Amino acid sequence: MGPSGPRLEDGHRPLDRPRGVLRHRHLWSPQLNAAPADQIRLLDVQDLDVRLQQLAHKRKSLPEHAEIESLTKDHTQLRDLLVAAQTEESDCAREQTKAEQDVDQVRQRAARDQKRLDSGAVSSPKDLENLQHEIVSLAKRQGDLEDVVLEVMERRESAQERVAELTDRVASVQSKIDDATARRDAALEEIDGEVASVTKEREVVAASVPADLLKLYDKLRGQQGGIGAAKLYARTCQGCRQELAITELNEIRRAAPDTVVRCENCRRILVRTPESGL
C-alpha cells in the first residue's frame, strides 16, 4: 500500500512558523476549498457560537447566584444564633422549673412547721425555740430561692425575646432567598430557552457548511478560545485584530475565491468579503 495522502491539518502546519521567517508556501491548503457563500455561512456559524458562549457566561454570572450565596450565608449564621437562643431559653425553662420546685418544697416545710407551732403540740421550750428558729431560716431560704426564680425568669424572658427576634430575621432572610431563587430560575429558564433556539439554528446553518471546512473550524475554535473563523475587514483579521502585512495581502489577492485562507498571526480561517480591503 502506498503512502496515504496529506491530511487536512497537515496542509496548515507550516503556518506555525514564527513571523518573519522566510516562507516558501501560501496561506492556504490546496486540499481545502469552499465556495465563498459557504465561507460566509461559516461566519454565521461563528456568530451563533459566540452567542452560545455569551449565554453560557450570562447563565454562570447571573447576579442572583451571588445574591443567593450571600443570603444563604446570612441565613446559616442566623439559624445558628437562633438555635443557641432556643437552647438558652430551654435551659432557663428547666432552671426555672427546678428553682420553683425548691421554693415549693421550702414553703411546704415551713407550713408544716408553722402548723406544729400553732397546734401547741410542742411543749419543750428548747424544741419550741428550735422550731421557731427553723421557721425563720426557712422564710429566709424561701426568699433567696424566690429571688433565684425571678432572676431565672428575667433571663428566660430575654432569651424568649431573642428567639422571637431571630425567628423573624430568619424568616425575612428566607423570604429574600425565595425571591432571589424565583428570579434566578426565571432568568435561567429564559436563557435556556434562547440557548435551545440558538443551538437549533446553529445546527441548521452548520449543516449547510461543507464537512471538511466545518471540521477545521471546530478544531481551530477549540484551540483559539472559541473563535475559529474571522472576517478579513479593512485588511485586518477580526479574530486577532492584527493588520495583515502586504506580502500576506498579496498572497490572499492571488488566491482563488474558493480557496480557504488563514491568518498568518492567529491561524484562524479568514473569510473574505467586499469589505476586506483587497
Side-chain angles (χ1 to χ4, degrees):
M1 180 179 295
S4 60
R7 294 177 300 170
L8 177 62
E9 294 83 359
D10 294 337
H12 295 277
R13 286 179 180 169
L15 295 181
D16 290 331
R17 296 176 183 175
R19 292 176 66 93
V21 175
L22 182 62
R23 295 168 296 164
H24 299 284
R25 81 287 177 271
H26 297 291
L27 297 174
W28 57 84
S29 167
Q31 289 78 32
L32 184 58
N33 296 291
D38 291 335
Q39 297 186 43
I40 293 295
R41 278 195 292 273
L42 188 63
L43 288 180
D44 295 335
V45 174
Q46 179 66 81
D47 289 342
L48 293 169
D49 282 334
V50 169
R51 182 55 184 156
L52 289 173
Q53 286 180 305
Q54 293 171 338
L55 289 170
H57 176 73
K58 182 178 180 181
R59 194 182 201 283
K60 184 178 180 180
S61 59
L62 284 174
E64 286 79 8
H65 291 316
E67 182 181 357
I68 292 172
E69 182 179 357
S70 177
L71 287 171
T72 299
K73 182 178 179 181
D74 293 342
H75 187 269
T76 299
Q77 293 175 342
L78 289 171
R79 282 289 303 169
D80 291 343
L81 292 174
L82 176 58
V83 170
Q86 290 171 331
T87 300
E88 181 182 358
E89 194 279 332
S90 180
D91 291 343
C92 287
R94 286 193 295 271
E95 189 176 350
Q96 180 181 339
T97 298
K98 178 63 170 58
E100 290 173 343
Q101 290 174 345
D102 292 342
V103 170
D104 189 57
Q105 290 176 354
V106 171
R107 185 183 294 114
Q108 291 178 11
R109 184 173 177 182
R112 288 196 301 269
D113 287 349
Q114 187 65 46
K115 185 177 181 180
R116 288 181 62 201
L117 181 64
D118 295 341
S119 67
V122 180
S123 56
S124 169
K126 184 177 181 180
D127 292 342
L128 185 60
E129 181 181 356
N130 289 338
L131 185 59
Q132 290 173 335
H133 179 71
E134 182 174 331
I135 291 174
V136 172
S137 296
L138 288 172
K140 183 177 183 306
R141 175 62 176 163
Q142 179 178 333
D144 291 342
L145 289 174
E146 287 175 344
D147 288 341
V148 171
V149 171
L150 289 175
E151 187 272 332
V152 174
M153 289 177 64
E154 289 176 355
R155 284 194 286 114
R156 184 182 181 186
E157 182 179 353
S158 177
Q160 289 173 332
E161 291 176 353
R162 180 68 170 159
V163 167
E165 174 197 357
L166 288 170
T167 299
D168 289 342
R169 291 175 64 185
V170 167
S172 176
V173 174
Q174 183 61 58
S175 177
K176 292 178 182 179
I177 291 175
D178 293 342
D179 176 69
T181 300
R183 286 187 279 109
R184 180 204 63 188
D185 291 347
L188 289 177
E189 183 178 0
E190 181 179 351
I191 291 172
D192 290 345
E194 186 172 355
V195 167
S197 176
V198 174
T199 299
K200 183 176 181 180
E201 183 178 358
R202 200 261 190 200
E203 292 173 354
V204 173
V205 177
S208 67
V209 176
D212 52 355
L213 179 61
L214 188 65
K215 180 180 179 181
L216 176 61
Y217 161 77
D218 285 332
K219 177 182 177 180
L220 294 174
R221 185 164 63 92
Q223 297 173 345
Q224 301 290 341
I227 305 297
K231 180 188 297 185
L232 176 59
Y233 178 79
R235 304 181 180 184
T236 299
C237 171
Q238 295 303 295
C240 60
R241 303 294 178 178
Q242 294 291 320
E243 184 175 354
L244 274 62
I246 187 63
T247 54
E248 298 169 39
L249 290 172
N250 287 337
E251 288 189 30
I252 295 174
R253 289 189 183 101
R254 291 194 296 268
D258 65 345
T259 299
V260 176
V261 299
R262 291 169 62 180
C263 174
E264 169 66 13
N265 183 64
C266 68
R267 301 190 69 249
R268 295 181 174 98
I269 296 171
L270 271 181
V271 178
R272 290 164 286 175
T273 72
E275 300 174 322
S276 293
L278 299 174

